Amino acid sequence: MSDIINLRNIDDVSLITLDDGKVNAFSIEMLEAFNEKLSQVPRNNGSLIIKGREGIFSGGFNLKTFSSGDPEQINKMLKLGFETLYEIYTFPRPVIAAVSGHAIALGIFLTSCCDYRIGVKGDYILQANEVRNKMSIPTQLIEIAASRLHKSHIYRALFHAEPYPIALGVEAGWLDELVDQKELEKRTLEKAKNLSELGHPYYKETKEILLGETFQKIKSAIG
């Protein structure tokens, strides 16, 4: 499973690429592999890019685990997924998302955890689809998404589970910018190198001043 989560270093930039050959669904195994790679990323210098495969950033949690009906495995996957989001959201160095296509469910929440989010132009969807799938959105996910979405889009994006064409991602607050497919890697690396120059621990401390209360709410909700 670890071979579908790749980590490489480019100067002071760490690049984690997700590519399961399918929809980058976060199973227990994929989450464990992701966290193993994340543990190797420096916390006191540089920056981190999280990139999907062409056409898909992530489709969310692994649906086979849900359909198994095994409560132990379902709860394990959910807890690990939420803990992973918390690690990215509170990461002490800048995290850049290279949103290479669709970002659905956990995929859009992972996007929202990143400090700067670059999407690729194309026929792709950004969606928190939980309510349409007869699921409520837990506190930890609401807090993450609401800190990124523009206020006028919170009802549409979260309560109404509206699928956003990626072209509207910046307007909604899901993304910071859009680029052509051929420019995604170059532009993401350019931004990551720029942000890697920010001093430590000043980036971390400033982030905590702004988001410290939100961090605590998320931590408490995960339990």
Side-chain angles (χ1 to χ4, degrees):
M1 181 62 70
S2 62
D3 60 340
I4 67 173
I5 308 286
N6 178 263
L7 170 64
R8 63 188 176 105
N9 299 308
I10 306 167
D11 299 323
D12 287 336
V13 177
S14 300
L15 170 60
I16 293 179
T17 303
L18 317 173
D19 188 355
D20 66 358
K22 299 177 183 177
V23 298
N24 283 341
F26 280 102
S27 62
I28 292 171
E29 294 78 14
M30 187 167 180
L31 286 162
E32 288 175 341
F34 181 87
N35 280 282
E36 191 276 326
K37 297 298 185 185
L38 186 61
S39 71
Q40 300 174 38
V41 177
R43 260 65 173 176
N44 59 1
N45 66 278
S47 61
L48 168 64
I49 296 171
I50 302 174
K51 181 178 180 290
R53 63 191 299 265
E54 185 171 344
I56 185 80
F57 184 67
S58 173
F61 278 119
N62 187 291
L63 296 180
K64 289 183 179 179
T65 304
F66 286 125
S67 63
S68 72
D70 185 333
E72 183 176 341
Q73 290 296 295
I74 292 170
N75 289 334
K76 182 177 180 179
M77 181 179 71
L78 289 172
K79 185 172 177 56
L80 185 54
F82 297 151
E83 288 174 344
T84 300
L85 293 185
Y86 182 78
E87 285 297 310
I88 298 300
Y89 194 57
T90 62
F91 201 76
R93 297 300 301 159
V95 183
I96 300 88
V99 184
S100 51
H102 301 293
I104 309 293
L106 191 73
I108 194 60
F109 292 112
L110 176 59
T111 300
S112 299
C113 287
C114 298
D115 302 300
Y116 198 83
R117 302 143 304 153
I118 303 174
V120 64
K121 295 176 183 177
D123 189 19
Y124 304 121
I125 292 297
L126 310 173
Q127 186 182 21
N129 63 358
E130 283 75 9
V131 174
R132 287 195 181 274
N133 288 334
K134 298 179 173 57
M135 300 167 64
S136 58
I137 303 178
T139 297
Q140 53 270 37
L141 300 187
I142 288 283
E143 290 289 338
I144 289 168
S147 71
R148 306 302 272 149
L149 285 164
H150 299 313
K151 189 174 181 179
S152 62
H153 285 270
I154 288 176
Y155 269 76
R156 291 170 59 184
L158 300 181
F159 302 163
H160 303 162
E162 185 171 323
Y164 279 77
I166 202 167
L168 297 181
V170 175
E171 176 186 319
W174 285 132
L175 300 173
D176 292 293
E177 65 174 281
L178 281 169
V179 297
D180 291 329
Q181 177 72 56
K182 62 182 180 182
E183 296 294 324
L184 180 62
E185 187 166 341
K186 177 184 175 182
R187 173 58 186 147
T188 305
L189 186 57
E190 177 183 70
K191 187 66 179 182
K193 286 182 175 179
N194 174 268
L195 294 181
S196 73
E197 298 170 0
L198 296 174
H200 182 79
Y202 314 109
Y203 186 82
K204 171 181 178 289
E205 291 173 349
T206 304
K207 191 173 180 179
E208 288 172 345
I209 290 168
L210 176 64
L211 296 173
E213 290 185 9
T214 304
F215 292 169
Q216 289 299 318
K217 287 181 182 178
I218 295 169
K219 186 76 170 176
S220 297
I222 295 172

